[in-house]
Amino acid sequence: MTPLRRPVGLRFWLITLAAVVGMLVTASLGRWQLSRATQKESLQATLDTRATLPAIDGRTLTDPASTASEAQQALVHRAVVLQGRWLPEHTVYLDNRQMQGRPGFFVLTPLQLAGAGTGVVLVQRGWVARNFQDRTQLPSVNTPADTEVRVQGRVALAPSRLYEFQGGDSALGSSRIRQNLDLAAFRTETGLALAPFTVLQTGSVGDAGDGLQRDWPVVGAGVEKHYGYAFQWFGLCGLIALLYVWFQIVRRFIRPRSQPAA
């Protein structure tokens, strides 16, 4: 005799409700990640377009009109060529910065622009290893103060901030080795008319052999990660549906045609 099917009770409906809610939530998250990917694709197209534009000069960075937020966003990641003299007495070393997986310093030096009045641009010159036996020792970086140099790079905002304890080395004038650097505070500390941007240096003429590495990350909007997240959410939605169908429908309502003898 074929056994009777198990009755549908409250537990079945609670599991059904949980499965439906789980599928709706994961599917919505997957669609949200796809919309984010669409936005990032538009941003990536803008970045690619900026990379093909002619290089700007220092006067554009020091123009008062460039301080507006809209103007700043339009200039970030643009190619730039600067000409001027280094101000090595204001060089700062940002600690705990990595390049190619190795910890060290990011070296930042202001550049006094030539023919631009008192305009100064803070240049992120590159990366250098630190002395781990003597953490207070500054690395040797060739910075000629009396030679005019031509710096090539791309426009960037202030260096990214790392976590630091209150009262760390980034206090005004506390040390040339710092964890973070705030442009406004550094402008006050040095008295320099700093532009509201920095420049990631990619090359130069006039100070070759400074010993710095400039393997900066490729500029990208990160579209791929959103597609990856969307795939994970849609995959989880499908897994919930599959498990629900198997355990709550197939195993509950579908029986074999014959049962083995008792």
Side-chain angles (χ1 to χ4, degrees):
M1 178 180 294
T2 303
L4 297 175
R5 296 174 180 175
R6 287 178 291 177
V8 175
L10 178 61
R11 180 181 177 184
F12 172 83
W13 293 114
L14 289 177
I15 294 177
T16 300
L17 177 61
V20 170
V21 171
M23 288 186 290
L24 289 176
V25 170
T26 52
S28 298
L29 290 172
R31 293 181 59 186
W32 178 73
Q33 289 294 340
L34 290 180
S35 66
R36 290 286 294 159
T38 302
Q39 297 174 4
K40 290 296 184 68
E41 285 178 341
S42 177
L43 176 59
Q44 185 65 58
T46 301
L47 296 179
D48 294 341
T49 301
R50 291 180 186 176
T52 62
L53 296 175
I56 59 178
D57 57 13
R59 295 186 180 183
T60 304
L61 297 182
T62 57
D63 188 346
S66 300
T67 58
S69 59
E70 296 81 4
Q72 290 185 16
Q73 292 300 325
L75 291 177
V76 173
H77 302 307
R78 285 283 302 272
V80 62
V81 177
L82 305 177
Q83 192 155 344
R85 299 177 184 273
W86 294 118
L87 301 176
E89 65 274 14
H90 298 300
T91 296
V92 173
Y93 300 82
L94 295 188
D95 199 3
N96 297 318
R97 306 292 169 144
Q98 292 193 3
M99 187 163 288
Q100 297 180 347
R102 299 173 57 197
F105 294 114
F106 278 177
V107 182
L108 283 69
T109 304
L111 183 73
Q112 178 73 58
L113 300 178
T118 58
V120 181
V121 176
L122 186 62
V123 180
Q124 301 187 51
R125 299 174 59 191
W127 177 92
V128 65
R130 74 170 306 165
N131 187 335
F132 288 97
Q133 296 180 349
D134 183 2
R135 299 181 63 86
T136 62
Q137 180 180 351
L138 295 176
S140 177
V141 179
N142 181 28
T143 309
D146 55 352
T147 303
E148 190 167 286
V149 296
R150 188 169 180 265
V151 176
Q152 301 169 338
R154 67 173 184 262
V155 182
L157 298 177
S160 59
R161 294 187 61 84
L162 302 180
Y163 178 79
E164 65 177 333
F165 293 101
Q166 187 176 3
D169 288 341
S170 60
L172 292 181
S174 60
S175 173
R176 299 183 73 178
I177 300 177
R178 309 185 185 190
Q179 189 78 356
N180 296 297
L181 183 67
D182 180 78
L183 275 180
F186 191 63
R187 186 184 298 113
T188 302
E189 174 189 343
T190 59
L192 299 174
L194 287 173
F197 306 92
T198 66
V199 170
L200 286 176
Q201 182 179 351
T202 56
S204 62
V205 177
D207 64 342
D210 55 14
L212 297 173
Q213 296 184 25
R214 302 184 180 94
D215 187 19
W216 304 112
V218 177
V219 177
V223 178
E224 296 79 7
K225 69 177 182 180
H226 291 288
Y227 283 119
Y229 292 152
F231 176 80
Q232 293 176 7
W233 285 120
F234 286 133
L236 183 58
C237 178
L239 179 61
I240 294 174
L242 181 63
L243 292 177
Y244 174 80
V245 170
W246 174 254
F247 287 103
Q248 298 300 314
I249 296 179
V250 174
R251 295 188 61 180
R252 177 182 292 271
F253 297 108
I254 300 180
R255 297 297 186 189
R257 296 181 178 179
S258 60
Q259 295 291 335

